[in-house]
Amino acid sequence: MTRSLFDEPLTHYTAPESIAPGAFLLRGFALDQAEALLQAVQQIIAVAPLRHLLTPGGHVMSVAMSNCGALGWVSDRTGYRYSSADPLSGQPWPSMPACFADLATRAAAEAGYEGFAPDACLINRYEPGARMSLHQDRDESDPGAPIVSVSLGLPAVFLFGGLQRSDHPARWRMVHADVAVWGGASRLAFHGVSPLADGDHPRAGRQRINLTFRRAG
Ligand SMILES: O=C(O)CCC(=O)C(=O)O
Ligand SMILES: [Mn+2]
């Protein structure tokens, strides 16, 4: 059954929902961990602050980002890449909390990707109006590993298309504690996020936090 825009978040996880070959939504999968995840995000961004990166084309991203784990995704005028150090501080990124890695591994297994061991977690902070245009996640070295994406806070419209930028993307509403996993035939699918609608989430306030787990190195 499809949930309408006005439905409340699920109260418990049931089963993966297939959205494309190799791609799944796990509605409510992170409900039990959501509070711990949000608290851990606060600790990470106290050390490695959220910042608006520059695209290689010179645009300022509307999403603010940070990372935890051995590798972190960064962008500047020279391009996109993974880096073991935070360019703001020159220090290693904060380590990935056990509750992050554990959730990502369990979500991947639930979608059929056993043994996923993320070494990078990109933290995306969307304020109202922030968006992420259609893109592929293609800076990771291991194409066999899936992407695990955890939504916290305000609802968003997640766009999930095909292997061509021109493929019309389907729109999926992602709410607090929903998890998306994509790999296999969809590992390089184009995806993005529509401009975030304003709102006030009881746990997270006026923002959406997205955690994207990758096997980058
Ligand atoms: O915020 C999301 O749901 C998607 C994030 C994403 O695609 C990315 O960080 O590469
Ligand atoms: Mn992505």
Side-chain angles (χ1 to χ4, degrees), residues 72-146:
W73 187 86
V74 293
S75 172
D76 58 21
R77 290 304 299 245
T78 68
Y80 306 131
R81 66 193 169 279
Y82 281 95
S83 166
S84 58
D86 178 349
L88 282 185
S89 65
Q91 297 298 307
W93 297 103
S95 56
M96 194 183 301
C99 65
F100 277 36
D102 174 66
L103 176 73
T105 300
R106 288 190 299 106
E110 188 70 15
Y113 302 102
E114 295 289 342
F116 177 57
D119 57 6
C121 173
L122 174 62
I123 300 170
N124 291 313
R125 196 270 317 271
Y126 297 75
E127 291 183 312
R131 61 189 287 272
M132 195 176 284
S133 51
L134 283 179
H135 66 279
Q136 297 168 295
D137 292 347
R138 56 184 314 153
D139 302 320
E140 299 74 29
S141 61
D142 179 3

Side-chain angles (χ1 to χ4, degrees), residues 135-186:
H135 66 279
Q136 297 168 295
D137 292 347
R138 56 184 314 153
D139 302 320
E140 299 74 29
S141 61
D142 179 3
I147 302 288
V148 174
S149 172
V150 179
S151 291
L152 298 166
L154 287 178
V157 176
F158 181 56
L159 307 170
F160 201 82
L163 299 180
Q164 308 297 325
R165 186 180 291 278
S166 55
D167 292 337
H168 186 72
R171 296 161 61 85
W172 301 94
R173 181 175 155 88
M174 302 284 287
V175 306
H176 184 65
D178 285 349
V179 177
V181 181
W182 60 98
S186 286

